[in-house]
Amino acid sequence: MIEPDAEGERRRSRTERVPTGKSAAAFVSLKRAIMLGDLPAGQPLVELELATRFGCSQGTVREALLQLQDEGLVLRNGYRGTQVSACTVEEAVELFRIRQSIECRGIVHVLQHPSRTLVADLKALLADMTAAATKADELELASIDREFHGRIFADAGLPALDPILRRCLIHNHRFKISRSMGGRDLLQTAQRHEPIVAAIEARDLKAASAALFHHIATIVDFGPNVFPDQVQ
């Protein structure tokens, strides 16, 4: 199993709350396997087995599993143990709708008082996404994509919604990757963020809201069914 770039994971530690210390290796490896579908829904995750695999204590593994639970990627059921969570169409639809509401409402607050570094940060993240796309690293691209959207929302001043948005983004990408049949144009995926940056740089609320809405509504093929009569 190929591990993601360590520098990239450190860069996103604040946005995605990557654990530090010994639990990081277990967390990153398990998250990657779940996101790519190598660990399918319902797969049991036994602490003792994982501790042996990663050469660490059960407590360290437990810390990683608790973080994965916080992101909704595993379910911990007491004496029944821990299992990889499901990734269903029904749940994906609801998470897309929640995400759309949070981001498109949030951009109103963002453009009232955007930070000085917002546009520069977004352009840097867009460049990182382009680099990941060039390397054909879909998981890295998705991770930077989440940081991009998290960076925009950080300026909304609505911190209580941050963990909700983060979970939506993670599951959106997990669903998208799980339905990918291969051969997708990753560079085009990165470039889809350009209209969002342009609208924010121009401080054009109408254009920014439309760009965000269209971006979310067309992320998967069932977009028109999730957002009827609203896809532009």
Side-chain angles (χ1 to χ4, degrees):
M1 183 179 298
I2 299 174
E3 298 294 347
D5 176 69
E7 182 179 352
E9 289 299 332
R10 285 194 298 271
R11 187 183 66 243
R12 282 179 293 286
S13 61
R14 181 181 60 81
T15 301
E16 298 199 352
R17 298 185 183 180
V18 174
T20 57
K22 294 182 179 180
S23 65
F27 171 80
V28 171
S29 180
L30 291 170
K31 181 174 181 177
R32 183 178 182 86
I34 294 170
M35 293 291 287
L36 291 175
D38 295 334
L39 287 175
Q43 174 73 41
L45 298 174
V46 181
E47 288 183 6
L48 183 58
E49 293 177 358
L50 293 173
T52 300
R53 172 182 166 187
F54 292 109
C56 61
S57 69
Q58 284 185 249
T60 297
V61 168
R62 193 172 300 119
E63 181 184 348
L65 292 177
L66 286 171
Q67 181 63 30
L68 291 168
Q69 179 187 37
D70 183 54
E71 296 191 347
L73 295 176
V74 304
L75 299 174
R76 292 173 60 80
N77 299 307
Y79 69 92
R80 293 194 301 176
T82 302
Q83 296 180 326
V84 176
S85 65
C87 184
T88 66
V89 172
E90 292 78 14
E91 194 166 50
V93 166
E94 296 307 322
L95 288 167
F96 274 110
R97 287 173 173 161
I98 293 169
R99 175 188 171 186
Q100 184 273 331
S101 178
I102 291 174
E103 289 202 64
C104 289
R105 289 174 183 269
I107 195 64
V108 176
H109 298 276
V110 170
L111 289 184
Q112 286 176 349
H113 303 287
S115 63
R116 293 181 180 180
T117 63
L118 177 59
V119 172
D121 289 346
L122 295 179
K123 288 182 177 180
L125 289 166
L126 180 56
D128 287 346
M129 279 190 277
T130 301
T134 301
K135 294 186 296 183
D137 191 337
E138 183 170 18
L139 197 62
E140 174 73 355
L141 172 59
S143 187
I144 303 169
D145 187 329
R146 293 192 292 277
E147 187 177 4
F148 177 94
H149 289 274
R151 176 63 188 90
I152 295 173
F153 195 73
D155 276 15
L158 303 169
L161 291 172
D162 279 340
I164 301 172
L165 177 59
R166 185 174 69 252
R167 180 174 285 208
C168 289
L169 288 165
I170 289 170
H171 284 270
N172 285 177
H173 285 137
R174 181 186 177 194
F175 184 85
K176 182 179 180 181
I177 291 171
S178 73
R179 271 29 179 205
S180 176
M181 300 302 291
R184 289 194 308 108
D185 188 341
L186 296 184
L187 186 58
Q188 183 182 58
T189 297
Q191 292 170 340
R192 276 168 35 85
H193 296 79
E194 292 176 353
I196 300 172
V197 177
I200 291 174
E201 185 170 26
R203 296 200 179 188
D204 186 332
L205 177 57
K206 183 177 180 180
S209 296
L212 270 172
F213 190 95
H214 184 268
H215 179 86
I216 297 167
T218 58
I219 195 171
V220 289
D221 291 340
F222 59 51
N225 295 322
V226 179
F227 307 102
D229 303 322
Q230 297 184 60
V231 179
Q232 300 172 22

